Amino acid sequence: MKIVTAVACGALASAGLMSVPMASAQSCKVPVLKVLAQKSLGLTVMEKTLVDYEKASGTKVQISYFGENDRRAKARLDASTKAGSYQVYYIDEANVAEFAAAGWVQPLLKYLPKDADYDDFLPGRRAVASYNGVAYFAPLIGGSDFLFYRRDLLEKAGVAVPKTLDELVAAVKKMHSPPNIYGWAARGQRGSGMNVWRWAPFMLAAGGKWENNGVPAFNSAQAVKATTLYRDLFKYAPPGGATYDWSNALEAFRSGKVAFMIESTPFADWMEDPKKSSVVDKVGYARPPAPLASAAYGHGLAISTSGAKDECTRQAAGKFIAFATGKEQEQARLKDGVFSDYNRSSTVNSDYFRKHVKPQIQAGLTDTTPVSRVTIWPSPEWPDIGDNLGVVLEEVFTGTRGDVQSALDEANEYATDVVQRAKKRK
C-alpha cells in the first residue's frame, strides 16, 4: 500500500502534548508516519500510550520492527535509493556518521520541540547521537561500560577491586581457578559491534589512535601491545571464550563461573534478575580500570531526509520523536520495571530511580559517568572498516594468526583503501 506523505495544514490538537516548531504561520497535520525500528523495551512501553498520542496529534504512527542487522540494511537501502518509505529511522552510534555524512538524516534539533529538553539527555548519549557536533537522533536506549566483578569472591580471596589495568590483569590471574571459576570473560567474536567494540578502549588506553589526519593508524606499536594483552586475557576465559559474543559472556558471568568482565551498563539488570541469574546481589559495578575509557553507545530515532520530504512532515517526525524519547516515557519505563532503557539526567536523579535501582548499580553509574566517551571511529566508513577489523581480531584471538603486527597492518591497509575510495567518490 502506498504511504501518504502529503500533508494538510490546519490546527493541531495539542492537549497534553508538546509544542511543534513552526515552518509557517500555521501548524501542520500529517496523516501517517512510518517508522523503521528495532525492538527495544523502551518502544514496547511507549506503544501502550501511542494510541493517545495518535488521537491528540492526528497522526497515525506505523512501526515496522526488524532485527539489528536487517534494520541497518533496510534503512541504508531506503536512504541510499531515496525510496523514502519511512519518515523515521532507528539508528545508532555505529551508523550515525554514515547516515549524517550522506545527508540521509536531518539535523534533529531543527525539528525537535524545544520543550523536549534535549540537553537533559546524559552527555554520553548526546555524544554518540552526534556527528561533527550536530545532533542527529534522540536516544531511546544507551549506556557505557561497567567493570562487573564478583564481590563475594573477591572478599573471600582478599582481592581489592582493580583500579588500574595492571591491577585488573593481576586480579584476573589470581581469581582464575578452572573449572570452578574463570578469571575473565569478554567478546571475541568478529564484528564492529562485537570484538572491535570491546577491544577499542584497550587500544586507545595504550596510546593507540584510530587515525592520523584522516589516515587509518590503528596498527601502531601501541595498538599491537593492546591487542596482545586483550588476546592473552582469553587464557583466563572459559573454553571457547575467544569467540564469545556479548550474550555468551553475560551468560558465563551470571552462571557464577566468571570473576571479572567488562560489559555494557544496562546488563546489570541481567545480573540482578532472580529468575535467570545465580549471582543476584553478589556482583559489584565500577568504572573500567584506568586508563580504560567506558565505551559510550546509544540507539535512537532520527528523521529520514528522503521519507520526510517537506517541512510539515519533518515537524511531525520531530514531534513523535520527542514523545517517544521524552521524560514521561522514561518514567513510564521505570514503573514498568525497565531500568536499563534510561537516557536522561532527570531519570537518574528521580526519586523512583533512586528508590528502585539497587545501590550497587547506582554507585557504579556515578563511578562510570565521568569516563564515558565514544571509543569507535566516528567515520562514515566505519561499518565496513570495523567489520573487516573484527575478522582479523578474531583470527588473532583464536590463535589462527600469530603475528599481531601483520594482522593489524592488513586491517589498516584495508581501511586505508576504503577511505581513499570514499574520497574519490566525493
Side-chain angles (χ1 to χ4, degrees):
M1 183 176 74
K2 187 175 181 180
I3 299 300
V4 179
T5 57
V7 297
C9 291
L12 179 66
S14 59
L17 298 176
M18 295 179 244
S19 60
V20 181
M22 302 297 289
S24 64
Q26 291 181 305
S27 298
C28 300
K29 180 184 284 188
V30 177
V32 176
L33 279 179
K34 290 198 71 179
V35 182
L36 192 162
Q38 177 181 325
K39 273 289 185 186
S40 78
L41 290 172
L43 286 177
T44 300
V45 174
M46 180 275 295
E47 285 193 23
K48 295 180 180 181
T49 54
L50 182 57
V51 65
D52 296 328
Y53 174 83
E54 292 175 328
K55 288 178 180 178
S57 67
T59 298
K60 178 73 174 177
V61 179
Q62 299 177 353
I63 305 175
S64 298
Y65 289 109
F66 301 93
E68 183 168 276
N69 290 334
D70 285 344
R71 178 264 299 172
R72 286 176 177 159
K74 288 180 180 294
R76 185 176 292 114
L77 180 64
D78 186 74
S80 63
T81 61
K82 296 182 172 59
S85 298
Y86 301 90
Q87 289 71 55
V88 176
Y89 294 143
Y90 181 119
I91 64 175
D92 56 52
E93 78 291 328
N95 59 9
V96 63
E98 176 190 10
F99 278 58
W104 294 342
V105 289
Q106 287 291 302
L108 180 65
L109 299 188
K110 182 178 179 182
Y111 300 103
L112 192 74
K114 293 192 185 308
D115 52 6
D117 196 4
Y118 191 81
D119 288 342
D120 183 51
F121 286 112
L122 294 162
R125 306 292 197 276
R126 283 183 273 131
V128 298
S130 301
Y131 177 63
N132 286 342
V134 177
Y136 284 94
F137 71 81
L140 270 169
I141 65 172
S144 52
D145 288 340
F146 278 149
L147 171 67
F148 291 71
Y149 63 93
R150 285 287 300 278
R151 289 184 296 160
D152 57 332
L153 297 181
L154 267 62
E155 289 172 5
K156 184 177 180 180
V159 174
V161 179
K163 300 295 185 183
T164 69
L165 189 51
D166 288 342
E167 290 177 359
L168 173 64
V169 173
V172 165
K173 292 178 179 179
K174 184 168 183 177
M175 298 303 300
H176 187 62
S177 182
N180 296 321
I181 297 294
Y182 296 88
W184 177 249
R187 304 183 198 186
Q189 188 180 97
R190 65 185 62 186
S192 59
M194 288 295 177
N195 55 11
V196 179
W197 181 267
R198 192 55 56 222
W199 164 89
F202 282 74
M203 185 269 288
L204 297 172
K209 297 180 179 179
W210 282 114
E211 50 85 23
N212 186 9
N213 294 323
V215 178
F218 53 84
N219 61 337
S220 64
Q222 294 91 334
V224 170
K225 179 181 178 181
T227 306
T228 303
L229 171 60
Y230 194 94
R231 178 199 65 188
D232 290 349
L233 280 170
F234 284 114
K235 296 175 183 177
Y236 308 98
T243 56
Y244 273 7
D245 62 10
W246 58 264
S247 62
N248 299 140
L250 289 166
E251 291 302 338
F253 192 95
R254 72 176 181 177
S255 72
K257 292 289 188 178
V258 175
F260 292 102
M261 173 181 70
I262 295 176
E263 262 302 341
S264 300
T265 52
F267 291 137
D269 283 0
W270 289 43
M271 302 304 131
E272 306 299 338
D273 183 349
K275 295 180 180 178
K276 298 180 179 180
S277 176
S278 65
V279 294
V280 175
D281 289 326
K282 298 178 180 179
V283 183
Y285 310 95
R287 57 162 288 177
L292 293 176
S294 181
Y297 76 93
H299 294 196
L301 300 177
I303 300 172
S304 161
T305 297
S306 58
K309 295 180 173 65
D310 55 76
E311 290 294 298
C312 282
T313 306
R314 291 173 184 178
Q315 288 178 9
K319 184 178 181 184
F320 166 70
I321 291 171
F323 161 74
T325 63
K327 296 177 183 179
E328 296 83 359
Q329 287 298 331
E330 291 216 338
Q331 287 296 312
R333 294 173 211 165
L334 290 180
K335 292 174 183 177
D336 210 55
V338 180
F339 298 111
S340 57
D341 283 359
Y342 68 88
N343 303 280
R344 291 177 172 273
S345 297
S346 58
T347 303
V348 176
N349 294 324
S350 68
D351 291 339
Y352 197 91
F353 191 90
R354 289 174 174 170
K355 182 178 180 180
H356 290 84
V357 176
K358 291 191 173 184
Q360 61 265 34
I361 298 177
Q362 294 187 50
L365 292 172
T366 300
D367 198 20
T368 298
T369 298
V371 294
S372 175
R373 65 186 182 92
V374 178
T375 57
I376 61 172
W377 186 4
S379 164
E381 286 69 52
W382 169 250
D384 190 2
I385 292 171
D387 284 341
N388 180 74
L389 174 58
V391 173
V392 172
L393 289 177
E394 185 185 86
E395 292 172 347
V396 170
F397 300 156
T398 57
T400 305
R401 300 184 68 146
D403 190 332
V404 176
Q405 182 69 70
S406 67
L408 292 183
D409 286 346
E410 179 184 305
N412 200 78
E413 182 178 354
Y414 179 88
T416 301
D417 290 342
V418 170
V419 170
Q420 289 176 344
R421 290 197 302 270
K423 288 180 178 178
K424 288 179 181 179
R425 289 195 297 270
K426 295 175 182 178

